[in-house]
Amino acid sequence: DGGPRVLRHGAGSNPTATSYAGCADTCYQAGYALAGVENGHECYCGNAFLYDYGTSTGCTTPCPGDASNTCGGPGAMQIYSTGAGPYTTGPASFLLTYNGWNITECWEDNNGGRTLPHTPHNNPPSASMTVEKCIDACAADGYTSAGLEWGQECSHIIVGCASRDYPIGESTVSFECAMPCNGNAAEYCGASNRILVYTSLPWEILFL
């Protein structure tokens, strides 16, 4: 776990009482399918293996709340299934089309205002966000554009809608939108201040 977190949602740190069972129960109660312990006392939750760093031999730090078991290690996360539901794995790629909607480009966002200013009425939960859920929610409200972004200030993917065929702002290179979706590690859902936009209006796919 030496780069971006494999599991994105922090569930607290207790240097004196953390155990893998306690972390798994915390994540289960919150509805997450996966729980991970790292550095002996940090607990993380998620519904997807967002990145694949392979296996590690660094999960050797004893749990402070149960010294008979290990709780990951420095830069090494020990991951368990909580049984709360299914989970997904990567590697991720860009979903180009869905149900008549096409990908446009990766756009800069939050430069003095949101590129897509409206949140759908039935906003999908951030913990299970996917491209399909975002598009369905925006389409249900009658919008023709839908965008996904990782809101860095609250560490979750947010959704925007609009009724135009392309957003206001500067487009940027596609890999700047390459952050896996919380609800499907096989799809990308934008990134920090980068919104991945889809439209139901005619759009020639030139996405590279």
Side-chain angles (χ1 to χ4, degrees):
D1 195 31
R5 294 286 180 198
V6 175
L7 302 181
R8 185 171 294 152
H9 300 278
S13 173
N14 190 329
T16 61
T18 296
S19 68
Y20 79 87
C23 176
D25 184 64
T26 296
C27 295
Y28 175 83
Q29 295 298 328
Y32 290 105
L34 296 170
V37 284
E38 183 171 347
N39 205 28
H41 57 85
E42 300 170 6
C43 177
Y44 298 90
C45 308
N47 288 315
F49 284 93
L50 298 179
Y51 301 92
D52 181 10
Y53 295 119
T55 57
S56 173
T57 59
C59 294
T60 58
T61 303
C63 302
D66 179 8
S68 64
N69 289 289
T70 57
C71 280
M77 184 180 291
Q78 207 163 324
I79 299 177
Y80 301 87
S81 171
T82 68
Y87 58 86
T88 61
T89 60
S93 62
F94 289 102
L95 181 66
L96 298 182
T97 64
Y98 168 70
N99 204 22
W101 289 60
N102 294 322
I103 198 169
T104 65
E105 295 184 56
C106 178
W107 302 84
E108 294 180 359
D109 193 40
N110 208 22
N111 292 325
R114 290 293 179 189
T115 300
L116 301 182
H118 305 291
T119 299
H121 289 98
N122 293 316
N123 196 0
S126 62
S128 58
M129 185 64 68
T130 66
V131 173
E132 295 91 335
K133 289 180 179 179
C134 172
I135 289 175
D136 286 343
C138 291
D141 284 352
Y143 292 108
T144 57
S145 296
L148 300 106
E149 180 177 350
W150 178 50
Q152 187 174 14
E153 67 278 3
C154 55
S155 298
H156 70 279
I157 294 173
I158 61 174
V159 177
C161 307
S163 290
R164 52 178 175 259
D165 59 346
Y166 58 90
I168 298 172
E170 296 292 331
S171 62
T172 185
V173 290
S174 60
F175 70 80
E176 291 192 12
C177 277
M179 179 174 285
C181 305
N182 276 352
N184 187 352
E187 297 176 354
Y188 288 129
C189 279
S192 175
N193 292 327
R194 296 293 184 269
I195 187 166
L196 185 61
V197 177
Y198 291 80
T199 182
S200 62
L201 299 177
W203 186 278
E204 183 179 1
I205 300 177
L206 297 172
F207 197 75
L208 300 174

